[in-house]
Amino acid sequence: MKLTGAQILIKMIKSQGVDTIFGYPGGAVIDIYDELASNPDLRHILVRHEQGAIHAADAYSRAKGDIGVALVTSGPGATNAVTGIASAYMDSIPIVVFTGQVNSSLIGNDAFQEVDIVGITRPCTKHNYLVKKIENLARIIKEAFFIARSGRPGPVLVDLPKDVMTATIEFEEPPEVHIKSYRPTYSPNKKQLAKVVQLINKAKRPIIFSGGGVVLSKASEEITDLAKMANIPVTASLMGLGTFPASHPLWLGMPGMHGTFRANMSIGECDLMIAAGVRFDDRVTGRLEKFAPKAKIVQIDIDPTSIHKNVSVDCPIVGDCKKSLALLNQMMKRQIDQASVDARSEWIETIENWKSTMPLGYNQNEEIIKPQFVIETLHELTQGKAIITTEVGQNQMWTAQYYGFDRPNHFITSGGLGVMGFGLPAAIGAKAACPDKTVIDIAGDGSIQMNIQEMTTSLEARLPVKVVILNNRYLGMVRQWQDLFYDKRYASTNMECAPDFVKLAEAYGATGLRASKPSEVRETLKQGLATEGTVVMDFIVEREEMVYPMVPAGKSLSEMLLV
């Protein structure tokens, strides 16, 4: 049967189990959109900016634990997508992005809306393709999904010239994917795991450091089992929050620049760190030469290039986190030294002392709303079960500190790239993946304005999300740095010239609510959560509240600024 390129594209996307695409049309992809109209079983969610499409696909992937797909046009449509692609790349999120391209004969001629998106995205994609012949189209699409999902996941871009989409060919099902130079290692080396068992049995002050790789490999159960079995406290990176329940006594909180006192002190004093699915980025390690100075470090990661990249490790394990931890747990059950486990009570008591003497804290008076109070109340009202997305800045850090995630795939944020404007389209993508879940974007008044046009997407697609704005009329995190390190010279961070978010929500057709006093917080949240449809809740918070603890840039984790 002869099919056009556009028909082959849609057929192959559906063959991968995809039922939702986020996108924005344009001239170079008009044939694809025409074909989409004939495939109502493939839901297309029309965003209002291409960046929003990529963030939505990213969050769809994280919430559903599967792949996200986006479709944009050539030129500016493609370049608008780059920030979202780079964010997904930094956080190892499996998405496939299809971009339109001018006719093959015009490539390189500076044609209208022509851009070399393959060249532009080469450093921020796991792989990318320019489809030059319709004969290669089906195979390339199948490979794109395979590469995005397998090994260390990541974004794959497929650039589609317009003439390839309109050409016809006799369709043949492509063979199974076999890429000679690409064979990820899933199964760990058992001899290396045996060394880990010995290290655990000898350790007096061990900790587990869980990261986004544990979420991606669906290994939260395995890492929780290991912690409970061996009585080992657990910390998790921003991307790893939810991999170990925050309500468990062994939970240390997040480490790093805005980590808890007990997490950072534990890293400084531990004699063994079992790190799974983490990349030791600078916001976590602080001054590298002072990071975990007394510890033997075990690093488990499916990507061999991540091991030893930032931190030298004593026992590398190349393999899938879930498979590696499951096998390690089996070996531990047979060889565990119970006396060693029991002897860790002194280490646990030390950590409890750090926790009780230096907890996270803030002072809520009767006059001005503290942002932390809003998040703690939100956690209480949602029983910690909502999917939370964030923007980037203070709102992101307070959410990580105060929401208390007990489940994986419930905290969705732009961790590596730190994209302002991520939260709202991400909430829409998460709601599309999990329609029965309450999805909430916790935002700042600055960051929400970067992609606020996606309010229309939420309403049109009937994907109701709740938006909690912590409105301090500042770019809060930059202002915090200016306060601490630039003699309070608040250069260009004052955001007092801002829209009325309640009226703005109503202009979009959503519900707008506002709380200006602490006594109004609970009722506003209850009303917003109970109201059908998309709701914006504007909380007028303390203008110069700080995120503490804070480790200044270049300092070790033990050199924290405290409240």
Side-chain angles (χ1 to χ4, degrees), residues 86-261:
S87 180
Y89 181 73
M90 291 286 281
D91 292 343
S92 303
I93 306 303
I95 60 172
V96 175
V97 179
F98 295 100
T99 53
Q101 184 55 277
V102 300
N103 282 330
S104 302
S105 60
L106 295 176
I107 292 175
N109 287 4
D110 296 334
F112 177 66
Q113 292 192 332
E114 180 204 356
V115 71
D116 177 14
I117 195 62
V118 169
I120 289 171
T121 59
R122 188 163 290 123
C124 62
T125 51
K126 186 176 177 184
H127 196 63
N128 61 18
Y129 295 91
L130 168 63
V131 183
K132 297 178 180 177
K133 298 177 181 178
I134 190 172
E135 290 84 352
N136 298 331
L137 180 60
R139 173 186 58 79
I140 285 175
I141 296 168
K142 194 167 186 174
E143 283 183 5
F145 279 88
F146 174 79
I147 292 171
R149 284 190 176 113
S150 57
R152 178 179 180 172
V156 176
L157 181 141
V158 183
D159 201 21
L160 304 165
K162 184 172 171 61
D163 56 307
V164 174
M165 290 296 95
T166 56
T168 59
I169 192 173
E170 194 72 31
F171 176 75
E172 293 182 9
E173 194 69 40
E176 289 301 309
V177 176
H178 177 75
I179 303 172
K180 191 175 180 180
S181 57
Y182 176 68
R183 293 185 179 178
T185 301
Y186 289 91
S187 298
N189 184 309
K190 291 182 180 178
K191 291 183 178 177
Q192 288 295 92
L193 287 179
K195 293 179 183 176
V196 179
V197 172
Q198 291 178 6
L199 287 170
I200 292 175
N201 281 336
K202 289 179 181 176
K204 295 179 178 177
R205 302 184 308 278
I207 65 168
I208 293 171
F209 181 20
S210 178
V214 175
V215 179
L216 290 164
S217 68
K218 301 180 173 63
S220 60
E221 184 178 340
E222 285 76 10
I223 211 155
T224 302
D225 288 348
L226 175 62
K228 291 178 179 176
M229 174 170 47
N231 198 26
I232 302 177
V234 181
T235 185
S237 67
L238 186 71
M239 297 300 297
L241 293 178
T243 54
F244 186 83
S247 56
H248 195 279
L250 287 172
W251 174 240
L252 292 169
M254 183 178 72
M257 180 171 280
H258 294 293
T260 64
F261 182 79

Side-chain angles (χ1 to χ4, degrees), residues 314-349:
D314 300 280
C315 185
I317 307 287
V318 178
D320 172 68
C321 283
K322 188 176 184 69
K323 286 192 173 187
S324 300
L325 289 166
L327 192 52
L328 176 61
N329 286 347
Q330 288 177 19
M331 297 168 74
M332 281 296 298
K333 284 176 184 173
R334 293 194 298 268
Q335 301 173 48
I336 192 166
D337 181 347
Q338 194 56 46
S340 176
V341 172
D342 296 339
R344 284 176 196 140
S345 58
E346 186 176 341
W347 173 231
I348 302 298
E349 286 176 17

